[in-house]
Amino acid sequence: GVLAAWGCARLVPAVAGRFGHDLSAPAALPLPQAALTVLGTGLLAVLAVLAPSVAASRVSPLQALRTATSEGSTVNGAGRTVLGVLCAAGAVLLARQQYASLPEPGDTAHDRFAALTLVVVSGGLAFLALIALGPLLVRPVLSALAVPLRRTGAAGRLAVAGVGGAPGRAASVSVVVALGVCLVGSTLTCLASLDAYERYRRTLEAPADFHLYAGEGGTLDRTLVADLAARPELADVTAFRTAEVADDGRSATVTDLDLTTVRSGTGLTARTGVLGRLGPAEVVVDAEHAHRLGVEAGDRVTLTSAGRPVRLTVAATLPGAGPHGANFFVTPADLTRLGAGPAPTLITADAAGDGAEGRARAHRAVTETLTGPERGDGRVVAEDAATRAGPDDDLRTMATTVVLLLCLTVLVAVAGVATTASLTVVERRRAFGLLRALGLGGAAVHRMVTLECALHGVLGGVLGLALGLPYAWLAVRAAEVSAPFTVPAGQLATVLAALVLVTAAAGTIPALRASRTPPTVAVARGD
């Protein structure tokens, strides 16, 4: 492994140079790091086989005369169960502690690095618990997942029995698969959640291409909206009003901006409730004020303007700040009840055309409209929002690289499935011969072994997602509390389906060997 890595480090710069990328190759093999890597790998390998070696040393000579060995006493030992329960308890306590210390919106003193470290430690303990308690979990999970297979015929029922009959072996293989799925699934979920938050943040920074307001904090001429809307270079011309109100004794800004019109709703999400067109006496609250007032969707708030209280029902709360710095979003009728005048205070508009050329035409249209003979006093200020930042290509490239590297863990697990299937075929050769003698065809035997391998993938995928998604949620909340938790269901389903297909394909050669077992092996005295 070390030599292969060093060889790749020498080869990649030469290949990258042909594509115009200047990369430097390492001058020499770093011997201290290479030696530590080899020694560390050997130490881990020795530690990994301690438990099996102890179990092997306790095998009595009489067991050599038996046709099969029993693994129940070693797999379900009290020591292993106690260790698994202790690891699970430690994981739950750390996760609960981290959940209790999650930051609130606006908390800038939160130590993200320490929080994420505790999440990783808790996840490691949870995985150790899965390793220790895996044999106890295989049969219940298998019973729930294998219902469709039992209805596919003898091959399906025998495959379920084959995996459930050796829970220790099934757990050892499935847990490795679960590790890869857990890492890949949680990484994809965290990336999807942070990407959704990044879109939300970009929407707040530039909720429209242009916004116009009175230079001295006054109101705008209502005919300006019609003039701008008549220009074909502009689209989504929207006028709205703002007012200053008091909530719980503090000043805040309330507006009748329809959030569904902000960038056509792209990127805006709700933390509680659902963003949509508001009804009478409903309000959307930003994250800071929702936290300070202790409200969420369905609660009631009271806004006061000029001594006039207005009670409203919270329709939704935002994960962060609101567009244009507003704190509360209400209907035009409710804003009038709060004392706002009829004239708009802010007008927004988007460029009708795409690209820099469309934006330049829109800018000229705004300038021409404002510099007409009836509006030449310069009271109206038009700001051209910065072009919306596109996705960070470097971040996406890094994320793709990380996911691909994590997929190597899955491939290692698939290699373990293939190895386990090969050993199973050797150990159960007489059983396969007996099945053939009882009339089970070679194709059915092949299908049975293939389904067993696929079941390892299903078990690992389900256990991995069950472990990874909760920790992904905790990691997202610890990294950015305002980020909406987003589960990429399509990507996760693709990963799970590909995993099942790959693990099934890994058993192709062992299944072929099993299908060629002659019935005469069943009556042979030895293999």
Side-chain angles (χ1 to χ4, degrees):
V2 170
L3 293 177
W6 181 73
C8 289
R10 303 287 298 181
L11 179 63
V12 168
V15 175
R18 293 184 175 272
F19 293 93
H21 300 284
D22 186 17
L23 298 177
S24 60
L29 178 67
L31 293 178
Q33 292 86 343
L36 288 176
T37 301
V38 174
L39 291 176
T41 304
L43 178 61
L44 289 177
V46 172
L47 293 176
V49 300
L50 281 180
S53 64
V54 171
S57 67
R58 295 175 179 174
V59 176
S60 64
L62 292 178
Q63 287 184 273
L65 304 178
R66 300 177 184 176
T67 57
T69 60
S70 174
E71 55 174 307
S73 60
T74 59
V75 170
N76 299 322
R80 180 166 184 163
T81 302
V82 170
L83 177 62
V85 171
L86 290 177
C87 290
V92 170
L93 288 176
L94 284 178
R96 183 177 180 181
Q97 176 186 355
Q98 185 53 44
Y99 174 77
S101 61
L102 286 176
E104 298 295 342
D107 184 2
T108 58
H110 179 62
D111 189 349
R112 291 185 175 89
F113 179 78
L116 291 174
T117 301
L118 287 179
V119 171
V120 172
V121 173
S122 176
L125 289 175
F127 183 71
L128 291 177
L130 182 61
I131 293 176
L133 302 177
L136 301 177
L137 299 175
V138 164
R139 285 175 176 167
V141 177
L142 185 64
S143 299
L145 297 176
V147 173
L149 281 180
R150 292 193 178 96
R151 300 176 181 177
T152 60
R157 292 193 296 272
L158 289 171
V160 174
V163 175
R169 176 171 293 178
S172 63
V173 177
S174 301
V175 163
V176 180
V177 178
L179 173 62
V181 175
C182 176
L183 294 175
V184 173
S186 58
T187 300
L188 290 174
T189 303
C190 290
L191 291 175
S193 301
L194 295 178
D195 184 65
Y197 175 73
E198 183 65 18
R199 291 198 307 271
Y200 179 86
R201 189 183 63 81
R202 289 199 302 267
T203 300
L204 293 183
E205 291 177 354
D209 291 330
F210 305 93
H211 62 276
L212 297 79
Y213 57 92
E216 297 178 356
T219 58
L220 296 172
D221 186 355
R222 281 181 285 183
T223 61
L224 180 58
V225 181
D227 293 341
L228 292 172
R231 299 298 299 251
E233 301 93 340
L234 299 174
D236 300 328
V237 178
T238 304
F240 54 96
R241 302 169 296 160
T242 60
E244 294 298 318
V245 296
D247 73 283
D248 198 21
R250 299 189 182 185
S251 177
T253 302
V254 61
T255 178
D256 60 358
L257 170 65
D258 185 357
L259 292 178
T260 61
T261 64
V262 178
R263 292 287 188 197
S264 301
T266 302
L268 285 181
T269 56
R271 184 170 188 179
T272 63
V274 179
L275 291 180
R277 292 194 177 277
L278 294 177
E282 290 185 341
V283 61
V284 175
V285 188
D286 71 354
E288 181 180 354
H289 286 74
H291 169 60
R292 185 164 60 82
L293 297 174
V295 297
E296 58 183 18
D299 295 335
R300 301 291 295 269
V301 296
T302 300
L303 301 182
T304 304
S305 176
R308 182 185 311 165
V310 176
R311 287 186 60 79
L312 303 168
T313 301
V314 179
T317 59
L318 297 175
H324 302 290
N327 310 120
F328 298 92
F329 300 83
V330 298
T331 62
D334 289 327
L335 188 61
T336 301
R337 292 170 56 197
L338 288 167
T345 55
L346 191 64
I347 298 176
T348 62
D350 291 330
D354 297 329
E357 184 178 353
R359 193 179 185 89
R361 289 197 300 266
H363 183 82
R364 286 194 298 269
V366 172
T367 303
E368 292 171 1
T369 303
L370 293 180
T371 55
E374 68 280 4
R375 295 194 182 91
D377 56 0
R379 285 193 318 107
V380 179
V381 178
E383 291 188 357
D384 185 351
T387 303
R388 282 175 290 175
D392 192 336
D393 292 336
D394 292 337
L395 179 61
R396 289 188 178 275
T397 301
M398 183 180 299
T400 303
T401 304
V402 170
V403 172
L404 291 177
L405 290 175
L406 292 177
C407 287
L408 293 177
T409 307
V410 179
L411 293 180
V412 171
V414 170
V417 171
T419 304
T420 301
S422 299
L423 293 174
T424 299
V425 169
V426 173
E427 294 177 355
R428 295 163 57 190
R429 192 161 180 262
R430 295 186 65 181
F432 292 139
L434 179 59
L435 292 175
R436 294 294 308 278
L438 293 175
L440 196 67
V445 174
H446 187 286
R447 188 163 57 252
M448 179 186 73
V449 177
T450 303
L451 288 175
E452 287 184 9
C453 294
L455 276 174
H456 287 127
V458 174
L459 286 172
V462 170
L463 293 175
L465 291 180
L467 183 64
L469 290 181
Y471 279 102
W473 179 87
L474 198 57
V476 169
R477 287 289 179 266
E480 183 53 67
V481 68
S482 298
F485 183 64
T486 305
V487 179
Q491 295 179 1
L492 296 181
T494 301
V495 169
L496 186 58
L499 177 66
V500 174
L501 293 176
V502 172
T503 51
T508 300
I509 296 179
L512 185 62
R513 291 180 56 190
S515 65
R516 294 177 178 176
T517 304
T520 54
V521 173
V523 294
R525 295 181 61 84
D527 293 332

